Each structure stands twice: as C-alpha cells, then as structure tokens.
Amino acid sequence: MSAAVVVGVALVACACGPEEARDDTGAKPEKSSQQSASARAEEPSAEPSASAPAAPSEKPPTGGPSVPRTKEGAIQRYEQYLRAVGREDIDTVCEVAGPAAKQAEDQGFGPCTSTFLVTFRLFSPTQKKALRTATVDPQRVSMVTPDKFEMPADSVRSSVVFSDGDIGSSTLEYLKGNWYITD
C-alpha cells in the first residue's frame, strides 16, 4: 500500500470500535474492546438519538451470532463507521477499520488509536455533524465478491457532499462473522 493509499485508509478506515451511533451532543457509549463485533452490528443503525450511553446490560454476549453476510449488512457496518467518525469515537473507528489500520501500522503509521485521532482533525465541525447521521445509497455500492463491497465516497448521503478527497472509498470485507474495512 502506498503512503497516499494508507492516508486514504486512515481517512476512511477510522472505524476501530463497534458501537452504534449516538446523539449529536457528543455523548459517547461505554466501550469495551472485548465486546463481540458481530453482536454489536445487530444493534440498530438508526439515526442518532438523545439516548444515554449504553448500559452494561446492553453489551452483547461474547461469541454472539454473526451479522448478515449481505450488502445490507456491509452498508449498516459502514454507516456505523461513518457515524463513529462524526462522533470522534476512536474505539468504534478502530474496530471497524481494524484490518486496514493494522496494515497501515505495519507500514509505520503507528497504532490506530493514535493515528486516527489526528485524522479527526481533518474534518470540519460541519462535516462531523453530517457524518453523525450519514447513510449509504445502496445503488452506489459495488459488489467486488460476495464477501467484499466497495463503498465509494459518492455513496455517502448526508447534509454535506463528501468527495474522494474528503473520505475516499472503503472496501468492506466479511471476516470472522462481521464486516470490516480492509482497504
């Protein structure tokens, strides 16, 4: 992966922690790196609400069922990532983008939790707010293989138009029962 691609991955692959979207006030859910990513993806990816942080009883059980191995499942996971970027939720960003972040780290870019904190500063407050409620247009998502989907920048629907220069495109791949950004 070239440096430009790694930076693009950093911009798009900022999804390292599996949590659902939260409200615009910056309330962040309780996070645990040991939570089951597959069970978290079953949580609704509805637009943010003014709900309180997730209670311990809402944590999914370890070894829960896999998320759907479908285009819709990949889209839900990418929306989860986009909303996490908007909230600056580093844990969710690093969870979803874990494989791409690991690849960047192996190339000398440092761990996800520090690299992507810098990436958050590249987005304006208006862009971050738009990402908190962003959705993905399924018509613009391309299937590479049944286990891999390409999410181009123009598939993101929000109050702000995002270009390849803003967020790039992301490849989500089905691995270990969930969708992850791999490139």
Side-chain angles (χ1 to χ4, degrees):
M1 210 190 300
S2 72
V5 172
V6 172
V7 171
V9 167
L11 289 174
V12 178
C14 289
C16 294
E19 298 294 336
E20 67 179 327
R22 295 289 183 232
D23 68 17
D24 289 351
T25 64
K28 292 195 177 186
E30 180 179 305
K31 297 166 190 79
S32 170
S33 61
Q34 296 178 346
Q35 288 179 324
S36 167
S38 60
R40 279 188 301 276
E42 290 182 353
E43 294 177 3
S45 63
E47 292 187 9
S49 65
S51 63
S57 64
E58 294 177 29
K59 288 183 182 179
T62 303
S66 297
V67 298
R69 190 176 184 173
T70 62
K71 181 179 188 177
E72 292 77 20
I75 288 171
Q76 281 184 333
R77 182 73 156 168
Y78 189 56
E79 288 175 346
Q80 177 186 34
Y81 164 79
L82 293 171
R83 293 168 184 176
V85 171
R87 292 187 323 272
E88 296 187 12
D89 177 353
I90 192 69
D91 292 334
T92 300
V93 167
C94 290
E95 162 63 25
V96 178
K102 175 67 173 131
Q103 194 174 30
E105 183 177 352
D106 290 347
Q107 293 180 1
F109 280 86
C112 179
T113 53
S114 61
T115 303
F116 289 116
L117 290 176
V118 173
T119 303
F120 291 147
R121 290 187 238 147
L122 300 176
F123 293 99
S124 72
T126 302
Q127 288 174 314
K128 288 176 191 174
K129 185 175 182 178
L131 285 171
R132 291 179 199 143
T133 57
T135 60
V136 174
D137 180 355
Q139 301 286 30
R140 297 202 179 265
V141 173
S142 303
M143 181 174 69
V144 178
T145 68
D147 290 341
K148 192 181 283 190
F149 287 91
E150 183 73 19
M151 308 285 177
D154 70 355
S155 70
V156 176
R157 296 290 176 244
S158 72
S159 59
V160 171
V161 175
F162 288 95
S163 69
D164 278 337
D166 297 321
I167 61 172
S169 65
S170 291
T171 301
L172 273 79
E173 192 168 350
Y174 195 80
L175 305 167
K176 299 178 184 175
N178 208 338
W179 292 97
Y180 295 92
I181 296 174
T182 57
D183 193 26

